Amino acid sequence: MIPIWRKGQMSFEQLICKAADVIKGTKKLVAFSGAGMSAESGIPTFRDPGGLWDRFDPEEIGTGPGLLNALMRIPDKIRALINETLTTFAAAKPNPGHHALFTLETMGILRSVITQNVDNLHGEAGNTRVIEVHGNLYRYRCLSCGRKNTFPRTEIFAHVRKALDSITHFNLTSVMSLLPQCSCGGRMRPDVVMFGEAVQSLPEAFKEAESCEVMLVLGTSGVVFPAAALPERAKSAGATVIEINPGLSSYRSISDLHIQSKTGEALPLIVQRIQHA
Ligand code: NAD
Ligand code: ZN
């Protein structure tokens, strides 16, 4: 059992060393990531200033019917938003934080990554066990037969852009044309979790949380439930919780160690420290 130390009394360097010491002693490390993990890949978070929910009401565009309604009411704004989102995701690549997590997996330390992100960047960095509780933007699910298909990003974005440009009037039929077609003839929707929809792979995620010795909580504000409950579950099952976040989150009271830094800066330093210890 790793002793819990007192917080708020360490320099940044001491925090990095402490985190490295704790992590190198386990083979049961699980990472839990949120939008902040991908901020340094150029994908804005939802709740930081300038982020999506700073500009749009989640109730308004975070559901299928809400999005359709917004497209009909404020088509130019939503068209610009979709185009901006496609451009951002198309350019995103794994950042040093993602690469550090892959290194921890190759060292036999990191067992899995549970992510709320839909951007596929943990998989692209090389991590093999990624539990995507909010789905994956490049995977599509047929609304008729349920078949799933993962498309290359360039292919799927080119399809959406072309369809979006050709729509002059938004209604249910024209919006459906944004969705690719399945071999069964049905339309395929992105396999991501919208507001009010069921979270994916939740039992597996909770099992990982309950059985880890150390959990890294990376760039998440901790307000989207039920995923946000995972660190608390890990903590109450006896895990040490290490949070890396330059800003605010709801995990302050449960984290044994809080490193107030970007994940793309702190994670590589922790890995370096483990490698050269
Ligand atoms: P959030 O937007 O609510 O919170 C982001 C958190 O990241 C904040 O606590 C912020 O302080 C922190 N942060 C900002 N920059 C950081 C950095 N460089 N390093 C570390 N931390 C940083 O994000 P959330 O808690 O993940 O909730 C948003 C929901 O929206 C998620 O469930 C996710 O599904 C979705 N989302 C996904 C993406 C993506 O796939 N990349 C992007 C935006 C939102
Ligand atoms: Zn089908």
Side-chain angles (χ1 to χ4, degrees):
M1 178 78 178
I2 298 154
I4 294 173
W5 51 90
R6 294 177 67 183
K7 290 186 270 178
Q9 297 174 344
M10 293 181 183
S11 66
F12 177 70
E13 287 71 24
Q14 286 172 323
L15 289 166
I16 295 291
C17 292
K18 188 76 200 171
D21 282 352
V22 172
I23 290 169
K24 76 168 189 262
T26 182
K27 285 186 166 41
K28 290 185 184 171
L29 175 71
V30 168
F32 173 58
S33 69
M37 180 85 212
S38 297
E40 290 155 273
S41 296
I43 302 177
T45 65
F46 273 3
R47 288 175 186 78
D48 284 317
L52 191 56
W53 300 143
D54 204 29
R55 292 180 288 154
F56 292 91
D57 179 357
E59 300 291 323
E60 189 176 359
I61 62 157
T63 65
L67 186 58
L68 174 63
N69 188 284
L71 272 166
M72 294 194 292
R73 232 171 14 83
I74 42 168
D76 292 344
K77 263 178 135 176
I78 302 296
R79 197 195 292 268
L81 168 74
I82 295 175
N83 270 318
E84 178 192 317
T85 306
L86 295 182
T87 304
T88 306
F89 274 78
K93 292 193 171 46
N95 66 53
H98 295 102
H99 294 307
L101 290 183
F102 174 58
T103 307
L104 288 171
E105 181 181 315
T106 61
M107 294 166 84
I109 293 173
L110 182 74
R111 202 164 66 177
S112 61
V113 180
I114 307 169
T115 188
Q116 299 166 88
N117 297 339
V118 298
D119 55 30
N120 202 41
L121 294 180
H122 288 296
E124 283 176 37
N127 283 108
T128 54
R129 182 125 191 262
V130 184
I131 303 170
E132 296 171 315
V133 287
H134 290 165
N136 184 309
L137 192 60
Y138 311 118
R139 191 173 58 232
Y140 277 65
R141 186 175 78 234
C142 178
L143 293 166
S144 302
C145 72
R147 184 168 170 260
K148 292 192 180 186
N149 193 7
T150 299
F151 293 97
R153 231 192 260 204
T154 42
E155 188 186 311
I156 196 66
F157 286 173
H159 167 86
V160 177
R161 271 193 208 284
K162 197 167 159 224
L164 197 62
D165 285 349
S166 69
I167 297 175
T168 46
H169 176 67
F170 286 101
N171 55 33
L172 184 59
T173 311
S174 63
V175 169
M176 288 300 269
S177 75
L178 292 170
L179 305 177
Q181 215 158 8
C182 175
S183 50
C184 81
R187 290 285 175 182
M188 302 187 92
R189 61 158 279 182
D191 194 21
V192 295
V193 176
M194 298 188 85
F195 276 90
E197 293 181 342
V199 170
Q200 300 178 6
S201 309
L202 202 59
E204 191 187 352
F206 273 106
K207 212 168 142 202
E208 285 300 291
E210 282 158 7
S211 56
C212 70
E213 279 177 358
V214 184
M215 178 175 269
L216 282 170
V217 178
L218 308 168
T220 173
S221 57
V223 297
V224 182
F225 282 87
L230 288 159
E232 271 154 40
R233 187 67 71 90
K235 175 83 177 173
S236 54
T240 300
V241 174
I242 300 175
E243 182 183 25
I244 306 176
N245 190 324
L248 294 174
S249 84
S250 62
Y251 300 117
R252 245 352 117 74
S253 61
I254 65 152
S255 62
D256 298 294
L257 187 63
H258 175 238
I259 304 178
Q260 198 160 4
S261 162
K262 295 177 176 178
T263 42
E265 290 170 4
L267 284 169
L269 292 174
I270 292 170
V271 169
Q272 270 172 33
R273 174 87 198 171
I274 294 172
Q275 285 171 329
H276 300 119

